[in-house]
């Protein structure tokens, strides 16, 4: 298999056929700066008037002074625990479901895993009618009990895309071999297995990225040598709309001498005006889903390549929705990665280059948008960039040297970084307690309702290999970030789920009942809502965190206005946290529609 893969890799080189067009001129192009749609207006559902009358009629809690008290401080740098010593599969892809089960999937064609299918069952091997496979290549993982249930996967999800549908199912799209045009659905029901529709998406999608849109459908970009995107509607009716996208060909480094690809698993973010931010390799564009055109090219990101195999990280920073209806400022962050030539240099010269250290932030709606660059305390490729309940970010996993791929990296970066977007430059990163487990290629991570981070997978080998450097990693860890310091527990709100609203309507008020010892006013809280992402290859697809300002806090009940539209909060399930002066509650699953 390794040999097959290798030949695939070099096949992509042959495809280049020596076309060394001038790199800078060719890639830079002339950005179209004339079309900038800016923000749409943000409705606030008349929240202001309602809020005023509410607060007038009710007795405020002790500290409703309108002046926020400072956040609680902690010196806790976090800690790690092994949650399960053997999950049976290495978690190449990870999706948390609203049932509090995490779904871990791996390739199906690379040999035995460490867990068999249930009840001695074996599945036919696609394309080899006489062979069967009795190993499971996906599991359902109980995030509380660490219990593992083997799942049946009928088509190969290796390097697929995915997301959480409006009804809380995992939708896994593409992959390779018979799975390259598949849609696999795993419903959030007890004992369920994947349903598989093969050959339904328009094009093979291997290493593609998908993002949930305002109506709950998904847009899926790219894949190996697939220069297009398409839409998958929630109704799963096929065929879907496919749009060629030359930009993905232009950013494919296979046409560059001394570089490979560097634009797979591109970064896709739905912006508040409904347009799409797409970054591939070093270039970023804004795409209108109404006209299916590139409406603007943003400045080129300096520093190196950001997508597979130079796998960096990216997230849409937390979106603050204020009650006065002010436009929501969206900022995209991109961190780490590798030099464009890193994979080629390793392959041809047996030299492993150091990963990138820098991060860039850009405000796509700004007519003068630019990349504000800053440095992480350490280098990182193949890391994960997760948003936290506190509206901070966590950077973890990955390596300091090499690129994504089998045996192509070294120097695991064991130290997570806490990132506070609002701090001054140079005061944003904090290094936290290191793990002892290398999590490099094919590792993943997810934020859980209790605020811990589930960390799983890592396989630097095609097959499960338990000897030599960087063995296949089956251990599942949980990391507790600083905000879980037990010293802060006295100030931690507890959501009373039974008396809180769990179904939210766009722009409408909802309430969350809490228990809290401290005296506090509405201004001492924020509510944050996480859309649980599908994480693979260092990128968390459809990840977004909304930050809401409460309008009142009366008798232990926080009232807030739900996000105004699907552009800010695509429909479906979210984890809602109450954050009291920097101390988050355990999250509660809510739905918005
Ligand atoms: C996708 O899978 C089909 C069926 O296995 C195969 O015939 C086709 O060559 C594959 N395409 C790519 C680009 O791998
Ligand atoms: C991609 O671009 C190259 C030129 O750089 C061209 O030769 C090739 O036909 C393009 N491929 C597609 C599928 O558009």
């Amino acid at each position: 298999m390794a040999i097959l893969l290798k030949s695939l890799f070099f096949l992509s080189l042959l495809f280049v056929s020596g076309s060394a067009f001038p790199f800078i001129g060719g890639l830079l192009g002339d950005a179209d700066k004339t079309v900038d749609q800016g923000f749409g207006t943000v409705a606030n559902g008349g929240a202001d008037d309602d809020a005023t009358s509410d607060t007038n009629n009710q007795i405020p809690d002790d500290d409703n002074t309108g002046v926020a008290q400072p956040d609680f401080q902690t010196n806790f740098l976090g800690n790690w625990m092994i949650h399960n010593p053997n999950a049976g599969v290495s978690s190449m892809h990870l999706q948390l479901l609203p049932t509090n089960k995490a779904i871990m999937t791996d390739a199906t064609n690379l040999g035995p895993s460490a867990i068999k299918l249930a009840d001695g069952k074996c599945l036919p091997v696609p394309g080899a009618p006489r062979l069967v496979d009795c190993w499971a290549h996906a599991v359902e993982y109980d995030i509380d009990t660490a219990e593992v249930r083997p799942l049946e996967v009928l088509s190969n999800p290796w390097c697929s895309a995915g997301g959480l549908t409006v009804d809380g199912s995992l939708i896994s799209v593409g992959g390779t071999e018979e799975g390259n045009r598949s849609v696999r659905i795993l419903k959030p029901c007890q004992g369920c297995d994947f349903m598989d529709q093969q050959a339904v998406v328009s094009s093979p999608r291997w290493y593609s990225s998908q993002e949930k849109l305002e109506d709950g459908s998904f847009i899926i970009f790219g894949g190996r040598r697939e220069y297009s995107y398409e839409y998958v509607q929630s109704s799963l009716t096929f065929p879907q709309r496919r749009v060629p996208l030359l930009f993905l060909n232009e950013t494919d480094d296979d046409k560059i001498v001394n570089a490979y690809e560097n634009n797979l698993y591109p970064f896709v973010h739905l912006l508040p005006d409904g347009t799409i931010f797409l970054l591939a390799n070093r270039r970023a564009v804004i795409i209108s889903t109404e006209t299916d055109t590139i409406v603007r090219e943003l400045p080129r990101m300096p520093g190196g390549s950001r997508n597979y195999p130079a796998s960096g990280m990216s997230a849409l920073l937390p979106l603050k929705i204020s009650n006065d209806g002010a436009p929501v400022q969206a900022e995209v962050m991109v961190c780490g990665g590798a030099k464009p030539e890193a994979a080629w240099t390793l392959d041809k010269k047996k030299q492993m280059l150091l990963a990138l250290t820098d991060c860039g932030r850009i405000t796509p709606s700004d007519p003068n948008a630019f990349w504000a660059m800053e440095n992480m305390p350490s280098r990182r490729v193949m890391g994960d960039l997760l948003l936290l309940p506190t509206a901070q970010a966590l950077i973890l996993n990955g390596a300091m040297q090499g690129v994504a791929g089998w045996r192509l990296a070294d120097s695991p970066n064991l130290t997570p970084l806490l990132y506070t977007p609002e701090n001054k430059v140079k005061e944003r990163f904090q290094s936290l307690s290191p793990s002892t487990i290398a999590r490099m290629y094919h590792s993943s991570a997810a934020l859980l309702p209790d605020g811990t981070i589930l960390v799983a997978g890592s396989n630097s080998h095609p097959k499960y290999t338990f000897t030599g450097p960087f063995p296949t990693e089956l251990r599942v860890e949980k990391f507790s970030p600083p905000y879980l310091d037990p010293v802060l527990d006295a100030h931690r709100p507890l959501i009373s789920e039974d008396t809180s609203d769990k179904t939210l309507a766009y722009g409408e008020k909802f309430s969350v009942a809490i228990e809290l010892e401290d005296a506090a006013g509405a201004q001492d809280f924020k509510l944050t809502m996480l859309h649980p992402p599908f994480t693979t290859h260092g990128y968390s697809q459809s990840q977004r965190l909304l930050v809401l300002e409460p309008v009142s806090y009366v008798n232990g009940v926080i009232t807030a206005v739900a996000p105004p539209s699907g552009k800010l909060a695509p429909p479906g399930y979210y984890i809602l946290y109450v954050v009291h002066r920097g101390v988050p509650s355990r999250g509660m699953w809510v739905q918005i529609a």
Side-chain angles (χ1 to χ4, degrees), residues 485-553:
D485 182 357
V487 170
L488 297 176
D489 285 351
H491 311 294
R492 196 176 306 282
L494 176 69
I495 298 179
S496 309
E497 295 207 8
D498 290 347
T499 46
S500 295
D501 290 331
K502 290 191 268 306
T503 307
L504 279 47
Y506 289 119
E508 301 280 320
K509 280 190 181 178
F510 68 99
S511 61
V512 182
I514 59 164
E515 289 173 30
L516 179 69
E517 301 272 310
D518 296 343
Q523 69 283 348
D524 296 318
F525 297 98
K526 55 187 176 220
L527 301 184
T528 55
M529 290 172 59
L530 175 81
H531 187 276
F534 174 91
T535 295
T536 188
H537 288 74
Y539 171 48
S540 294
Q541 307 180 10
S542 297
Q543 173 174 241
R544 61 177 53 228
L545 188 96
L546 307 156
V547 185
L548 310 178
E549 290 173 356
V551 292
S552 68
Y553 174 54

Side-chain angles (χ1 to χ4, degrees), residues 59-126:
I59 305 147
D61 276 30
D62 300 358
D63 277 358
N64 260 342
T65 56
V67 181
Q69 303 174 77
D71 281 1
F72 294 102
Q73 299 298 310
T74 168
N75 297 319
F76 181 54
L77 295 178
N79 68 22
W80 291 87
M81 65 162 307
I82 305 268
H83 192 237
N84 186 323
N86 183 355
V89 301
S90 182
S91 183
M92 183 190 300
H93 322 89
L94 184 62
Q95 173 73 60
L96 177 66
L97 301 187
T99 48
N100 286 335
K101 304 285 199 292
I103 307 304
M104 303 174 173
T105 51
D106 200 356
T108 55
N109 65 331
L110 301 178
S113 67
I115 185 169
K116 295 235 164 140
L117 291 168
D119 308 321
K121 190 163 178 181
C122 300
L123 292 171
V125 173

